[in-house]
Amino acid sequence: MSHYLFELGLEEVPARFLLGIRDQLSQRIADFLAEKRIAYEEIESFATPRRIAVRIHNIADKQADIQEKVKGPALRIAQDDQGQWTKAAEGFARGQGASVEEIIVEDYKGEDYIYVDKFIAGQAVEEILKEIPTILQAMNFPVTMHWSNLETSFIRPVHWMVSLLDNQIIPFEFVGITSSNHTRGHRFLGSKDIVLEDESQYENALKKNYVIASFEERQAIIRHQVQEIAQENTWRIPMDLDLLEEITAIVEWPTAFYGEFESSYLEVPEIILQTAMKDHQRYFYVQDPTTEKMLPYFISVRNGNQEHLENVVKGNLKVLKARLEDALFFYQEDLKHSLNFFNEKLDYVNEHQAIGTYGEKEARVEALIQLIANQPGRSLPTGEAVEIAGEASRCYKFDLMTAVVDEFPELQGQMGEIYAEYYGLDDAVARAIGSQYLPNQAGGQLPATEAGALLAMADKLDTLIQFFEAGIIPTGSNDPFALRRQASGIVEIMLDRRWDFDLLTILHQKVLDPAVLTAIKEFIQARVSNHLDADGVDYDIIQSVTQVNHLDLLVMVDTAKRMQTLKLDDPATYRNFVEQLTRVVNLGHQVEVIQPISETLAQTSSEKALISQVMGLDLLVEQVELFGTLYRLAPTIEAYFEDNMVNTDDPTIKGNRQATLKVLTEAVFNLFDPRQLISKF
């Protein structure tokens, strides 16, 4: 068994893409080896800003051989009346790399067929590995570049490739670069030409040239260095994992250091300072371990060693000071104005040129909040939450007009909460304003208060309505206004708060165009589908619950989860449940005009039992009760169909039975469509 090393040397890869590209290469290598029947023990991966690499441990010397008996056409087709092989037999043999002399005849299900024993010897692994460029050609990236006169594009220009099977170079070419045993060290501290005599030298040779190839090892070093600084100075340093990953992706030889800035900048709200440090400068911020208040220090990581570190500290401090000076200036300028000063500006700024102003949006959202509060439903926002959210909606976008948010747009909403408190708004109103953009990613933080959840949901629903009415609808992967995220946020908020009302009723009142209404409904249903899929619900159940003609998201999700549980815990009962309700709706959905149901027209005890249950159905009760009622009805329905013919000759009896099934069908369709379900499994 051998070990194979492949390294692709590039110009610096953007930090946010590095791990994804490394993992893509590793997975594509694994898929390639499986396809080529090459056995191996493990694939180890590496990534730095200037390289992605894999090492395949204990790779087999050659492909696995193929030994199989291949079946051809029937003998009556393969031979003519004189017993000579036909063109069909000759073509079959030729296609399998054999001659007609190698054909054998065997019986298959009572008829003779021709076969050949096929043997393909596996190629040497050295030959297979020469196909690595096909893997590179197939890789995909969020962004690509063209360089020189090459037609092939890639994430960044390629400068070198290492391809070593133990100590043997496996030669191939990609984008004009020929593989070799030459790699490169740190751009400024290491050698520009490192010769590897064997793949096992890889990590040590790079470390001697100030490169730590393992992403995880560099990350652990950075974490340790930061913690050491914290311990030495008795500081608390919040370890932001996203920031840690980003820093790891931009350095090859990490050296952490700290600097001190003027304490006067601490006058600025901490969230601004933290954003200036983390998002703009990639610095960790420092807190007092007792009070958790920010201290006037920062921690950064250099891509290099300890030499002349004091100059690096000075340079970073100079850049940070400029950012903090801006932050302080903008914050102080904002405080010179009133909340109304900013809020009135919203009347002159468009959310989008095809939609209208932010001032108009605030008015629409306030109306939506009241509309939600007046919905028929079993679980609605409380009156107090509606009052708080309504008050917040009248000014909740004002911070978009502030200088701080103009400079730090990622703080929108958060600055609204801070300024709202400064201007004397009620704390609950301020918190609602601060929650308006939550959740800002799938599975992200949700609004902590009911009023905040109501404001955030109304804001997102208004955004969907306005953009869809303007014809700005996501297509494919193109979603520049993050409308999918907005719809997912609506789903997550409603489920988190267990609000049980029909969004479709609201949309009917707000959207006049039927095509737009349908598009929004299907868009939100797709987000419910994604949510259920992430929870492990089977595809057919998802299709069944999302095909209903309402948008009571809680009903959809709760029904799907109950069905999934029943399917797993009691498959036989689930199968009968699905089959009986399918029989009902197959007949019931065809009935257009129905007569009142009469229990006195029942001809059998099973019919009387079903009519009694159907007449007692109340679609306004808790949906959990409706599901339970339908579940318990399955045996009654089964007996009903065994004892009664629906389309009987007596028109009065027939009409009564059709009416019974029609009412029951409508109840079923309020929860799911059983015709979408797979009952045989």
Side-chain angles (χ1 to χ4, degrees), residues 86-337:
T86 64
K87 291 187 180 297
E90 293 173 352
F92 165 68
R94 186 167 53 251
Q96 302 303 320
S99 66
V100 290
E101 287 76 19
E102 296 174 82
I103 291 177
I104 58 176
V105 179
E106 291 186 4
D107 176 80
Y108 178 73
K109 294 184 177 181
E111 184 173 3
D112 287 339
Y113 284 80
I114 64 171
Y115 294 81
V116 295
D117 282 327
K118 183 176 181 180
F119 174 80
I120 302 177
Q123 285 186 285
V125 71
E126 292 89 339
E127 294 302 312
I128 301 301
L129 291 174
K130 290 178 182 178
E131 299 178 36
I132 291 287
T134 62
I135 298 174
L136 303 179
Q137 289 278 7
M139 291 183 72
N140 51 68
F141 310 100
V143 294
T144 58
M145 291 181 63
H146 283 277
W147 67 97
S148 187
N149 58 351
L150 299 171
E151 292 185 4
T152 301
S153 61
F154 213 66
I155 180 71
R156 286 294 184 268
V158 177
H159 289 294
W160 76 88
M161 291 189 298
V162 173
S163 177
L164 276 177
L165 183 65
D166 294 332
N167 59 1
Q168 176 188 354
I169 297 173
I170 303 298
F172 48 75
E173 186 176 293
F174 177 65
V175 292
I177 304 295
T178 302
S179 60
S180 68
N181 62 342
H182 291 243
T183 185
R184 301 183 188 181
H186 189 283
R187 183 179 289 277
F188 304 112
L189 302 174
S191 170
K192 293 183 178 179
D193 188 20
I194 303 169
V195 179
L196 302 174
E197 300 297 337
D198 188 274
E199 59 79 24
S200 62
Q201 299 176 352
Y202 182 62
E203 292 102 306
N204 286 336
L206 287 179
K207 282 182 179 178
K208 290 177 182 178
N209 286 273
Y210 299 94
V211 174
I212 297 170
S214 167
F215 188 95
E216 287 71 22
E217 185 180 350
R218 285 200 315 282
Q219 192 171 60
I221 289 171
I222 294 170
R223 184 191 290 269
H224 177 71
Q225 290 177 351
V226 171
Q227 288 172 343
E228 274 193 330
I229 292 174
Q231 290 170 1
E232 290 170 2
N233 294 278
T234 320
W235 291 338
R236 180 181 185 273
I237 302 173
M239 186 54 64
D240 186 301
L241 298 182
D242 291 337
L243 178 59
L244 177 62
E245 181 178 303
E246 183 179 9
I247 292 173
T248 306
I250 62 175
V251 300
E252 292 193 313
W253 190 262
T255 299
F257 61 91
Y258 72 90
E260 180 178 7
F261 58 87
E262 296 173 20
S263 58
S264 59
Y265 294 118
L266 296 178
E267 173 192 336
V268 178
E270 289 187 357
I271 188 65
I272 303 177
L273 299 179
Q274 293 167 7
T275 300
M277 291 184 185
K278 176 191 168 218
D279 296 347
H280 294 251
Q281 301 301 132
R282 299 192 182 105
Y283 297 160
F284 294 99
Y285 61 88
V286 177
Q287 293 179 326
D288 182 291
T290 304
T291 65
E292 295 191 2
K293 294 290 186 181
M294 279 188 65
L295 298 174
Y297 302 95
F298 68 93
I299 294 178
S300 185
V301 180
R302 178 191 192 184
N303 183 24
N305 56 19
Q306 294 279 350
E307 291 186 18
H308 309 296
L309 197 58
E310 64 281 358
N311 292 335
V312 176
V313 174
K314 290 178 182 178
N316 278 265
L317 182 58
K318 183 177 181 180
V319 175
L320 178 61
K321 183 178 180 180
R323 295 296 300 170
L324 298 183
E325 193 69 36
D326 287 345
L328 178 60
F329 172 77
F330 293 134
Y331 177 64
Q332 291 174 337
E333 284 297 302
D334 284 343
L335 297 187
K336 295 177 181 178
H337 304 286

